[in-house]
Amino acid sequence: MKKLFGFSLLATLMATVPSIFEVVTLAAQDAADEERYGVQILKDYFIDGGWGFMSIVLVCLILGLAIAIERIISLNLATTNSRKLLSKISARLDEGDVDGAQQVAKASRGPIASIFYQGLEKMEHGVDIAEKSIIAQGSVQMGRLERGLSWLSLFIALAPMLGFMGTVIGMIEAFDAIAEAGDISPALVADGIKVALLTTVFGLIVAIILQIFYNYLVSKVDGLVNDMEDASISLIDMMDRYNRAKTKIIV
């Protein structure tokens, strides 16, 4: 009896497995069809909006994303562990090895390392001269960090402007069609307004996407600048202690 029950249960499971696979396959096909349908709708809307302004808005998106990706990679590469670098330089200065501290800063990457190297190179001329050199190099590095952000802000402002311009031109064309037809047809007006508003929608979408990247990049730059300032202050304190200790030894 138990064997018969086991065989019947096994047969039921074997009969159920193909149906489960069929349901999963159909669900996957439906998802793929919906995805293709969504992409096709997006393509249709893009074409309906008119190749002229829609292509320019698309170019703004591509260029803006290219600048944003390049800036993200550059800023991530510019990130330096300032505490670790300061500890290495502090160890060299404690040993009286200024050249070794310069080599440590030179071998490190990032704007903070460049600022450190510039300050250590002017260290023999006094802390005041080194501090001025650090401030000047910090301004140069800040300009490099902010490079490309002005273009990104331009595309953020330009995309919706182009969309609005396409909308205005589309509305003018719709009213021209009404004037030529001599009758206000609801279908004619609706189609014209729909095509006119599509450029604005795509322009706003592009501006929103690029604005998110822009805010991230600005926050990243602000974090790096704050880190540069804190590390520069710590380096100046180290150099001042080194010069004081050196003066005591000479006296």
Side-chain angles (χ1 to χ4, degrees), residues 16 48-49 62 66 87 93 130 146 168-169 171 190 208 229-230 235 237 249:
T16 307
D48 290 340
I62 294 172
S87 63
L93 292 178
E146 295 176 348
V168 173
I169 293 175
M171 294 295 290
I208 291 170
E229 291 177 352
D230 293 339
L235 179 64
D237 292 339
I249 292 174

Side-chain angles (χ1 to χ4, degrees), residues 32-63:
D33 292 338
E34 290 179 359
E35 184 179 357
R36 286 196 297 269
Y37 185 65
V39 173
Q40 186 62 39
I41 290 177
L42 187 62
K43 290 180 180 179
D44 293 339
Y45 280 156
F46 183 83
I47 295 172
D48 290 340
W51 284 102
F53 285 95
M54 297 294 278
S55 298
I56 299 175
V57 173
L58 181 61
V59 169
C60 290
L61 176 61
I62 294 172
L63 293 178

